Amino acid sequence: MFDVVILTEKKYINPKVKDWYIDQVLLEDKLLQKELEKKGMKVCKRDWTDTNFDWKSSKYAIFRTTWDYFERFDEFLLWMKETKHKIKFINSYEIINWNIDKYYLKDLSKNGINIVPTLFLKKGKKVSLKQLFTKTKWKEAVIKPTISGAARNTYHITENNFSDFEDIFQQIINEESMLFQQFMKNILTQGEISLIMIGGKYTHAVKKTAKKGDFRVQDDHGGKVEIYNATQSEIKFAEDCIEKCPFSPIYARVDILYNNESNPSLIELELIEPELWFRNNPKSAELLADEIFNLSLQIKG
């Protein structure tokens, strides 16, 4: 029997070939496992698609590096529905189910959180990029699926070049719901700030900046990540995002950028499998282990 299963994807289970990126992924999981084991908890790491693993053999499963789920979304949803009856998820199934589709941003906006100006477009909607630019009067925009990660099918378009993207836009919206968001110019100069929150409290932050000529800040696309000291106002904004969330996540990452009026705006609230950069602040892995251990005590009680 195990106390906690750290969930990952297949390529991070004993990889034969490693590089700097895989090494840091393995380190992140190792840091958390080490802190959980310090609490006397029995821990293992498994691919979420592992059909040979008995999910009833563990009390908890914590989502960490399951970064292939948005490419296998239907399979992932089915697996969660089947597995939630066998093991307790961290964060919970209800949290993940809410957070998996970026429509959650609409809920947070209704609760008073400043988000990037966004139009939410349902799958199959009959609309053109020209109509969207006419409606919003924006000069620049970003289109992306509501269920995605690592900037998959994410494009920066303008009122002058949108016709070049019309075909790909129509192809995607016929298959997936999408977001049409106003482009925030500060992403090019100030980047995106990610604040890590454990138990609703701020632990540390990073700043992600895009490579020259790009707007995507993910390191998958050549972006740079550096340690960042968040300001008190940024921390307060992140705390408000957690407070206005309809759930109480054990861990979260609040991604913010400064909008075109230079006000902090939520770009994403990551509650499923966000990178948490434990390696920049190992104490945060200890705090997460504390939260999980305390949760297990509450349930026993």
Side-chain angles (χ1 to χ4, degrees), residues 125-187:
K125 184 175 179 63
K126 302 302 180 184
V127 67
S128 68
L129 291 175
K130 181 178 182 179
Q131 289 172 318
L132 293 172
F133 273 104
T134 299
K135 178 178 181 178
T136 60
K137 295 181 174 56
W138 296 339
K139 301 293 184 182
E140 300 178 77
V142 170
I143 54 173
K144 65 175 73 166
T146 62
I147 299 171
S148 186
R152 180 182 71 87
N153 284 337
T154 298
Y155 300 94
H156 172 207
I157 57 180
T158 73
E159 62 176 353
N160 296 320
N161 73 0
F162 66 79
S163 59
D164 296 337
F165 295 89
E166 190 64 55
D167 288 346
I168 186 66
F169 172 69
Q170 293 301 330
Q171 179 183 331
I172 298 172
I173 201 168
N174 282 333
E175 300 172 355
E176 307 177 64
S177 294
M178 297 192 70
L179 304 181
F180 183 81
Q181 296 182 307
Q182 186 177 21
F183 183 69
M184 302 289 102
K185 295 180 181 179
N186 282 326
I187 193 70

Side-chain angles (χ1 to χ4, degrees), residues 4-6 25-45 62 64 278-279 282-290 292-293:
V4 181
V5 178
I6 296 175
V25 171
L26 299 180
L27 175 60
E28 288 292 301
D29 288 342
K30 184 178 180 181
L31 288 170
L32 178 58
Q33 181 167 351
K34 180 181 177 182
E35 293 300 333
L36 289 167
E37 289 174 343
K38 281 183 180 180
K39 300 289 182 185
M41 305 186 88
K42 191 174 181 182
V43 185
C44 68
K45 181 176 173 178
I62 182 166
R64 293 310 315 125
F278 294 135
R279 59 192 181 277
K283 180 70 175 178
S284 61
E286 179 184 346
L287 292 173
L288 181 54
D290 286 341
I292 295 170
F293 182 71

